[in-house]
């Protein structure tokens, strides 16, 4: 099974590494807790800070896609 993840960081805290740290601390635990094989993030292509945060948290770009009419990047975190 897989999990779908999304995060929102208030603009006044943006760019301080909170999103990356949140993903690093919770991703592996979520896989174990929910007995899932992977976590999927669907991020708007223009949201470069979010893409960078997920990449720093070991999410890999899987493919480009369209979600609700917007270009998006699908990133995957898999069990280590």
């Amino acid at each position: 099974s897989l999990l779908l993840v999304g995060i929102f960081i208030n603009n006044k805290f943006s760019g301080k590494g909170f999103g990356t740290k949140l993903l690093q601390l919770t991703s592996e635990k979520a896989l174990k807790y929910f007995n899932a094989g992977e976590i999927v993030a669907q991020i708007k292509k223009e949201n470069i800070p979010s893409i960078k945060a997920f990449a720093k948290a070991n999410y890999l770009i899987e493919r480009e896609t369209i979600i609700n009419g917007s270009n998006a990047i699908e990133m995957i975190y898999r069990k280590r």
Side-chain angles (χ1 to χ4, degrees), residues 9-77:
I9 303 295
N10 185 298
N11 282 341
K12 76 179 191 177
F13 299 109
S14 183
K16 299 185 185 311
F18 292 124
T20 299
K21 195 65 170 174
L22 173 70
L23 292 165
Q24 289 171 334
L25 292 171
T26 60
S27 294
E28 197 64 33
K29 288 180 175 122
L31 286 179
K32 289 177 185 172
Y33 182 82
F34 292 105
N35 195 29
E38 60 189 23
I39 302 173
V40 177
Q42 297 172 329
I43 306 162
K44 288 185 179 178
K45 194 171 180 178
E46 67 270 11
N47 190 348
I48 303 302
S50 188
I51 293 169
K52 287 180 179 180
F54 277 88
K56 287 178 187 175
N58 298 314
Y59 282 71
L60 301 175
I61 294 175
E62 184 75 11
R63 65 188 178 115
E64 291 189 27
T65 188
I66 296 176
I67 300 170
N68 297 327
S70 296
N71 291 330
I73 302 291
E74 191 169 272
M75 299 183 77
I76 307 286
Y77 182 93

